[in-house]
Each structure stands twice: as structure tokens, then as C-alpha cells.
Amino acid sequence: MCGIVGIAGKSPVNQELYDALTVLQHRGQDAAGIVTVQDGRLFLRKDNGMVRDVFHTRHMLRLIGNFGIGHVRYPTAGSSSSAEAQPFYVNSPYGITLAHNGNLTNAHDIAKDLFRTDLRHINTDSDSEVLLNVFAHELQDLGKLQPTEDDIFKAVAAVHQRCRGAYAVVAMITGYGLLGFRDPHGIRPIIYGERETPNGKEYIIASESVAITSLGYQVVRDLAPGEAIFINNEGQLFTRQCAQATTFAPCIFEYVYFARPDSRIDNISVYKSRLRMGEKLAAKIKREWGENHGIDVVIPIPDTSRTAALELANNLNVKYREGFMKNRYIGRTFIMPGQSQRKKSVRQKLSPVELEFKGKNVLLVDDSIVRGTTCKEIIQMARDVGARKVFFASAAPPVRYPNVYGIDMPAKGELIAHGHTEQEVCDLIGADGLIYQDLDDLIASAREGNPEITRFDCSVFNGEYVTGDIDDAYLERLERSRNDGAKRKIENVTIDLPNVQG
Ligand SMILES: O=P(O)(O)OC[C@H]1O[C@H](OP(=O)(O)OP(=O)(O)O)[C@H](O)[C@@H]1O
Ligand SMILES: NC(=O)CC[C@H](N)C(=O)O
Ligand SMILES: [Mg+2]
């Protein structure tokens, strides 16, 4: 998952873009980038690292202009190379920069067409560079010296015709304005807001509402699937439905893990959805383990599971205790690129408070079990400090299938629940008992916030891919090219394109 932001301001936007990216940092820790524009000139700074490491004062001073876009990256295609940090830039037509959250499922095929038919060069293995070139080609094809909003929306419509998969996008068309658009399934989130200033209205487009509200803008609304928004250089706003057919199916994993709890996505409070996950899981525990379940204390695995664990404990009528302390200087483990780094980080990141475990039957709660890295380590840690019994609960169902829409779970062989029953997973992680949320309950936890959404992308749980273009051959190719071992072999061979001086 990546984080994206774009601002069409009336005063310099560099600091606000930076602030928004720090608010979106949980969506991508590998690389960060900002591009701004002033007087038809672009200023770009991007590199590997967290936001605070990529932008120093000397970079910020050079990121001038009242319009700009930013990105935090969690790679799901290509490599972790700094050359694949975003935003991407293409000089023709007009000079376009683009930042993307999601993953195209047909990037490989389009890349061939871009070369053979559109005579365009792609310099990396990033699907986002492909997406940018498709948009640029379609805009160029209209052959206008000065594109209107109609032209820009036509080019977005053509992107929807050619691209498959998940894409929430912000882009800048130099000299013309700021653009945002969402794929026809609305898989990844994108929302916009506005603010009155003495110089006129300013607009912000971002992955999550918390980036909008924390910067002092008011949320207007989420983009609909297939919809685009364009704010021209004069500050006029246009929105248009650019897809012929749409089937709304937002990603349910945003609610489970990715998004911040203080965001609202598609009119659903992420926080409340997690409370409901806890409530429903408690009901299942009572059903399956009985009222005399023997649990002395409920302990969350920080950070993400806290909200669900709290409500689970309330509903079980058992004490909720913060039995693991998190080192605040270590980021999210799951979105780290390699397994050895992830494993080491769990122990560096979480340490137990012994007195909460000694002689007790503890129920550890996590939002999800994916590779099993976290729970294996944590269960052992709980035993090491004297827990009598260690039960484990997951607020999401077993993750059994790869993700192809912007979450880096490419290899089914790396998923602990793939090909295993729940009892086998319980044995593998070394728990005394394991309980998973039912998929219907997870869906209900999100849906109760907005009953108008009739479908979610739940592919990691049920193997049903909403875009309908994923078959076994695709998944096998993906697994071969992006499993942990294969990723280690991808080298940083691409030369970076111009950055503001490092
Ligand atoms: O089974 P695994 O492969 O270990 O993946 C699942 C774990 O990874 C995530 O935590 P993470 O440390 O990324 O972030 P958090 O601090 O937001 O919980 C998630 O919240 C689970 O704890
Ligand atoms: N997680 C994402 O949204 C990744 C965006 C894009 N596919 C990349 O790898 O850079
Ligand atoms: Mg976690």
C-alpha cells in the first residue's frame, strides 16, 4: 500500500505535502517523494527512506510552488530501487508527474504495447511508470496544444479502457493543474477536501481522510469508482465519471490493517469497523469456547489490533491489558521488504510486561495473521515470561491467497494459512488455541458503517479477485517473480532521473 497526496494551493505547498506524507507514513516506509511546480518548472525530491530522512531543509527550500504531489512507497512491483520511488515524471506531453497507490494486473502486457505501438520507453519495472505512460500517451493522442478538462477526462477514460487492477492516482499536468482518479472498482481509497483562504479555495486529494483533516482542510467526499477530479491552475474544480461500467469493491484489508483508525474510508469509520471486528470475534469465542473460556486477560499486539482487542475484551468481560510495549522508533513490520528483517524487527519492536503474563491464561489478539512472523515470536515471548496458556485470536479470517492489488503478498507459499487448516496453523504458531474471525462477520464489520457498499475485495481471504482477470498462471508468475528469494535478487541497476540536488 502506498500513500498519495496532491495539493492545489494558493501559497507554497511544500510543508503541507511533507506533513501529509508523515500522516500517511504507515502506508509505505520504503521511499518518499514530492514534486512541486512553479512557473512551468518542476522541482522533484525522492529517495529511499522514511519521510523524515528523505527531505532535509535544503530539499524543502527548493520544493517551491503552490501545486504539488507526494508519495510514500511500499513496493508491490519492480524493486525497492530509489529509481522507482515516486512521483514519476514524463516530459511529453506538457510534463506530467504521477503518484500511484495500487497495482496494475496487466502492466506487463501494456508495457509491450507502449513500446511497440505507442513508441514509448519504460525505464523501470514499476507498474506506476506504465500507468503514467498510458495516461501521457492518451493525452498526447488528443493532439491539443492546450488541453481542457474534457481532454484530461477523456485521457483518464482511455486509461480505464487499457489498465486493469487497482489504482488511486494523483498527477500534475504542468501548466494546467492537479488531477486525481480512482479505478472502476474503487479498490484503493482516495478522498478530497477543501479550505477557504483569503486568496481563494485550496484543494487537497489524499489516500486517507486523516491527511486532510490533520492539515486543517474539510473533507468533501471520497472519489467514486471510475471518477476523476481536476483542479486547474486558476483553482476551478471539475469532477467527472470517466468509466463506462463500475463495480464498487473496495479493499477490506484497509479496514483490517492498512488504514489509520482515525480515517474514514468510503464513509466508514476505520476505528468503528475495528471495534465491530472485536465485538463479533468475542461473540464467536463465546459460541465456540463457551462462557467458561478460561481467559484471564486480553492482550493486544500493538499497534493495529488495539482497537479490536479492546472491544473484544469488553464483550468477553475480561480485563484488557497492554502486555506488550512497542518501541515507537520502529515502523511497521509487515510492510518491510525481507523476511529476516521482519523477524528481527518483531523482537526489537515489542517487549512483554512480565507481570501481565506470569501464571495467567492470556488471549493475544492481532488484526491478522499473514506470514505468521509476528504471532510465532509473540507467543514464544509470552511463554518465556511465564504465561500459563497462550490463546490467539485474529480479527480477520485466515489469509490464504496472494494479493494483486497493492499489498505485497505475492506468494501463497509464504502465507502461513495457505494449504493449512486452522488447527494446523495453531500448531505451527505454537498456541494453545486459535480463533479466526469469520469472513461474513468481517464484511459486516465494515459494511455496517456504510450499507450502500454491497461488495468488498476480500481476495486474500476467499481467492475471488474482483477484476476478474486473475488466473492460476498469473498467480504462478507473480509468485516466481516476487517471492522473498526472488526479490533479494532484483538489483538496483536503474539510474535515477533528475532530482533536486541531494
Ligand atoms: O503474520 P504477519 O506476517 O506477521 O503479519 C501480520 C502482522 O503484521 C502487522 O503488524 P505491523 O507490525 O506491520 O504493524 P502495526 O504496528 O500497525 O500492527 C499486523 O498488524 C500483524 O501484527
Ligand atoms: N503499494 C502500492 O500502492 C505500490 C504502488 C506501485 N505498484 C509500486 O510498487 O510502487
Ligand atoms: Mg501488527
Side-chain angles (χ1 to χ4, degrees):
M1 207 64 47
C2 299
I4 56 172
V5 60
I7 300 181
K10 298 285 179 190
S11 58
V13 289
N14 49 359
Q15 190 60 45
E16 290 206 333
L17 288 170
Y18 178 97
D19 294 344
L21 290 184
T22 60
V23 172
L24 296 172
Q25 184 79 79
H26 61 285
R27 300 183 67 84
Q29 300 170 169
D30 265 47
I34 289 179
V35 62
T36 57
V37 60
Q38 175 155 300
D39 300 331
R41 193 54 77 85
L42 294 167
F43 302 90
L44 170 72
R45 166 68 188 163
K46 59 175 182 174
D47 204 352
N48 286 128
M50 305 279 268
V51 176
R52 61 166 184 261
D53 302 320
V54 170
F55 304 99
H56 300 159
T57 309
R58 64 183 186 278
H59 305 121
M60 295 300 288
L61 290 172
R62 291 182 186 132
L63 291 168
I64 54 175
N66 297 353
F67 275 54
I69 59 176
H71 189 263
V72 281
R73 181 171 191 232
Y74 158 55
T76 57
S79 69
S80 303
S81 150
S82 61
E84 293 179 30
Q86 302 192 31
F88 273 106
Y89 164 67
V90 70
N91 74 342
S92 175
Y94 319 113
I96 304 174
T97 50
L98 176 142
H100 164 219
N101 172 208
N103 203 61
L104 298 191
T105 51
N106 62 344
H108 202 68
D109 297 335
I110 310 176
K112 281 188 210 146
D113 295 344
L114 280 169
F115 180 67
R116 288 191 199 139
T117 320
D118 303 343
L119 310 184
R120 281 183 172 264
H121 169 70
I122 303 294
N123 209 46
T124 70
D125 289 321
S126 163
D127 59 324
S128 311
E129 191 187 5
V130 169
L131 179 64
L132 167 59
N133 276 274
V134 170
F135 176 67
H137 171 80
E138 298 301 334
L139 198 54
Q140 182 142 29
D141 230 23
L142 298 172
K144 295 281 187 67
L145 183 59
Q146 296 192 341
T148 63
E149 63 280 4
D150 281 342
D151 299 322
I152 288 159
F153 290 142
K154 264 187 213 151
V156 174
V159 168
H160 293 328
Q161 296 288 329
R162 288 179 74 176
C163 295
R164 298 280 163 273
Y167 46 97
V169 171
V170 289
M172 269 197 315
I173 302 158
T174 310
Y176 296 99
L178 173 72
L179 173 70
F181 56 92
R182 192 175 190 186
D183 69 72
H185 291 87
I187 298 174
R188 303 266 69 99
I190 179 167
I191 186 163
Y192 79 96
E194 62 182 28
R195 178 171 71 187
E196 286 291 353
T197 73
N199 302 329
K201 248 187 197 172
E202 299 184 315
Y203 294 97
I204 179 168
I205 308 169
S207 296
E208 290 186 30
S209 63
V210 64
I212 296 178
T213 48
S214 67
L215 264 64
Y217 289 79
Q218 286 88 44
V219 167
V220 178
R221 63 176 175 82
D222 301 271
L223 289 194
E227 193 184 23
I229 175 171
F230 179 65
I231 299 118
N232 69 15
N233 267 7
E234 289 69 50
Q236 278 178 292
L237 176 137
F238 307 88
T239 59
R240 181 89 42 96
Q241 176 51 258
C242 296
Q244 277 167 1
T246 63
T247 325
F248 198 17
C251 173
I252 200 132
F253 216 69
E254 291 281 347
Y255 299 97
V256 172
Y257 168 69
F258 265 103
R260 268 179 50 157
D262 41 352
S263 280
R264 288 180 70 84
I265 295 186
D266 293 317
N267 276 323
I268 300 170
S269 151
V270 174
Y271 177 76
K272 279 201 190 162
S273 76
R274 289 183 188 162
L275 290 178
R276 288 189 287 264
M277 288 174 212
E279 181 191 317
K280 291 179 202 301
L281 193 52
K284 185 171 174 188
I285 290 176
K286 285 192 206 160
R287 265 193 328 269
E288 302 218 337
W289 293 353
E291 295 283 343
N292 298 324
H293 40 64
I295 298 164
D296 298 322
V297 60
V298 169
I299 294 179
I301 297 176
D303 265 330
T304 302
S305 71
R306 279 196 173 125
T307 318
L310 178 64
E311 198 62 356
L312 188 155
N314 286 341
N315 278 265
L316 280 187
N317 224 353
V318 171
K319 272 186 284 182
Y320 168 91
R321 286 286 192 259
E322 300 261 342
F324 287 105
M325 289 301 133
K326 181 180 167 246
N327 178 339
R328 69 178 72 202
Y329 302 104
I330 296 187
R332 294 183 119 182
T333 319
F334 172 72
I335 61 176
M336 289 177 176
Q339 184 60 7
S340 56
Q341 200 183 346
R342 287 183 212 116
K343 212 170 153 189
K344 191 168 138 233
S345 287
V346 174
R347 288 219 166 227
Q348 284 176 344
K349 178 168 139 174
L350 298 167
S351 74
V353 178
E354 196 172 327
L355 64 93
E356 292 296 358
F357 292 88
K358 218 169 185 60
K360 293 185 188 166
N361 295 335
V362 298
L363 174 66
L364 306 183
V365 181
D366 211 345
D367 52 83
S368 57
I369 302 172
V370 182
R371 297 179 181 90
T373 324
T374 309
C375 55
K376 269 192 206 158
E377 295 290 328
I378 288 288
I379 290 169
Q380 191 52 49
M381 279 155 76
R383 293 201 192 282
D384 291 346
V385 288
R388 181 147 33 113
K389 284 200 169 159
V390 185
F391 302 110
F392 206 91
S394 162
V399 172
R400 293 210 158 97
Y401 303 91
N403 187 282
V404 298
Y405 301 129
I407 306 176
D408 198 33
M409 294 181 197
K412 55 182 181 319
E414 291 168 8
L415 306 172
I416 194 165
H418 179 80
H420 290 297
T421 62
E422 294 184 15
Q423 185 53 51
E424 285 167 342
V425 176
C426 182
D427 296 340
L428 284 168
I429 65 176
D432 294 302
L434 167 66
I435 197 143
Y436 276 110
Q437 184 89 268
D438 289 338
L439 183 54
D440 286 347
D441 280 343
L442 174 64
I443 294 172
S445 301
R447 236 198 122 202
E448 281 167 27
N450 180 0
E452 281 173 24
I453 302 178
T454 54
R455 189 174 180 193
F456 289 88
D457 174 69
C458 300
S459 49
V460 297
F461 304 118
N462 60 14
E464 292 166 21
Y465 295 90
V466 291
T467 50
D469 58 340
I470 304 303
D471 56 18
D472 288 346
Y474 180 92
L475 293 175
E476 274 160 32
R477 264 200 320 276
L478 180 70
E479 176 151 9
R480 270 199 309 276
S481 62
R482 287 198 61 79
N483 66 62
D484 275 338
K487 260 186 259 167
R488 273 197 298 277
K489 291 189 196 117
I490 305 174
E491 284 182 34
N492 180 359
V493 287
T494 315
I495 296 167
D496 216 346
L497 289 170
N499 234 329
V500 293
Q501 275 174 312

